[in-house]
Amino acid sequence: MFFSINPTNGLAIFDQIVRQVKFAVANGTLPPGEMVPSVRELAKELAVNPNTVVKAYRDLTSEGILEAVRGTGLNVTKDAVAHCEKERLVLLRERMRHVLEEAHSSRLEADEIRSLVEDELVRLERSAKGKRGKKGADT
Amino acid sequence: MFFSINPTNGLAIFDQIVRQVKFAVANGTLPPGEMVPSVRELAKELAVNPNTVVKAYRDLTSEGILEAVRGTGLNVTKDAVAHCEKERLVLLRERMRHVLEEAHSSRLEADEIRSLVEDELVRLERSAKGKRGKKGADT
DNA sequence: CGAAGTGTTCTATCGTGATAGAACAGTAAA
DNA sequence: TTTACTGTTCTATCACGATAGAACACTTCG
């Protein structure tokens, strides 16, 4: 499935779920009309309490991103895509800003910040590649 | 004073204090032997509960960064500088990594991430300039 | 029908961060 | 000594995120 939880993220679990659903909608992984995993199913998959998933889905529903079909499940609304596409960068930018503000107020130079970002970007690329090419070396 | 609290930071107040003390030690703003503000004074200045400052100072003391002089106050230890210089990048890098991981898992391209970072960096530069040259334009 | 799956709602408990307020022991200076 | 600072240690309360377990109304399918 698309979802995963990172306990050291700094974000609450329910918030991580909310954001990942939004991101999945924004990039087309979760198209309108598609059903999200059921509360109990997702809770089991993430090894998380069902009530935590309930809270995430409740927030998403009250934002108009999900809608309930009684007795059946929750699906992505038609309006969700535009909404999530707009919000995607806003959410990421806001978090990024907090980190950069801390770096800046700690007297880190802009170039030091840039190289820190580059370090972590290549690290991300490497681990992504590592997952794609399971056994082989490269290619 | 050097310290300030950002409620929307995602970090607990006591943790923000801990990190800011470490950063101040790392960049020489808070040299060894220097006294940190008293518990009650800092609590008043940050409009925060004294117990919150106590917790931050207790953590810093148990890490060997501050030491108590009974009846007088807390001062920065001799070993603190090396310790904090090492930890500075680690702390910032760890937080940065979490944000970049989220951006990456949301299918944001590396170049989009870079331009997002650049956006926020110039924003930081602007606000820093704005604070330095209060009334005048530049110089 | 009945069983199994939906979402929804409820109470209770726990840990943590924060607040509030009080008390105690030590030091410094008038 | 007295006063006014230090740090330190309590108890109590609150909000919030998370957990646990149960119940209810609805739909789908055999």
Side-chain angles (χ1 to χ4, degrees), chain B residues 9-81:
Chain B
N9 223 354
L11 295 180
I13 297 177
F14 83 91
D15 205 20
Q16 294 187 43
I17 298 175
V18 167
R19 295 166 74 100
Q20 287 186 35
V21 169
K22 287 178 180 175
F23 293 154
V25 171
N27 65 38
T29 309
L30 216 46
E34 188 96 344
M35 302 277 263
V36 293
S38 80
V39 168
R40 294 168 180 83
E41 183 189 341
L42 183 56
K44 193 170 184 179
E45 185 185 323
L46 298 180
V48 143
N49 193 280
N51 288 330
T52 303
V53 179
V54 166
K55 167 151 190 172
Y57 282 0
R58 193 195 315 146
D59 287 5
L60 288 163
T61 303
S62 70
E63 278 193 73
I65 293 168
L66 299 181
E67 62 185 351
V69 184
R70 293 233 43 163
T72 301
L74 297 169
N75 59 41
V76 178
T77 66
K78 221 181 61 182
D79 303 347
V81 180

Side-chain angles (χ1 to χ4, degrees), chain B:
Chain B
M1 189 50 65
F2 338 90
F3 305 119
S4 66
I5 293 303
N6 183 344
T8 71
N9 223 354
L11 295 180
I13 297 177
F14 83 91
D15 205 20
Q16 294 187 43
I17 298 175
V18 167
R19 295 166 74 100
Q20 287 186 35
V21 169
K22 287 178 180 175
F23 293 154
V25 171
N27 65 38
T29 309
L30 216 46
E34 188 96 344
M35 302 277 263
V36 293
S38 80
V39 168
R40 294 168 180 83
E41 183 189 341
L42 183 56
K44 193 170 184 179
E45 185 185 323
L46 298 180
V48 143
N49 193 280
N51 288 330
T52 303
V53 179
V54 166
K55 167 151 190 172
Y57 282 0
R58 193 195 315 146
D59 287 5
L60 288 163
T61 303
S62 70
E63 278 193 73
I65 293 168
L66 299 181
E67 62 185 351
V69 184
R70 293 233 43 163
T72 301
L74 297 169
N75 59 41
V76 178
T77 66
K78 221 181 61 182
D79 303 347
V81 180
H83 186 293
C84 292
E85 278 174 353
K86 266 185 207 155
E87 208 176 355
R88 190 167 93 125
L89 276 184
V90 175
L91 290 175
L92 290 170
R93 182 184 299 273
E94 191 172 45
R95 249 190 114 186
M96 177 65 77
R97 179 157 59 234
H98 289 140
V99 178
L100 292 179
E101 273 169 0
E102 191 186 33
H104 185 262
S105 74
S106 89
R107 303 274 191 281
L108 207 66
E109 297 293 336
D111 279 344
E112 298 179 277
I113 297 178
R114 288 190 185 93
S115 72
L116 193 155
V117 170
E118 289 303 321
D119 278 6
E120 296 304 322
L121 280 180
V122 305
R123 187 198 191 84
L124 277 177
E125 288 304 321
R126 268 208 300 271
S127 67
K129 269 221 172 65
K131 280 183 183 173
R132 282 206 303 273
K134 289 249 174 141
K135 55 181 202 299
D138 46 300
T139 308

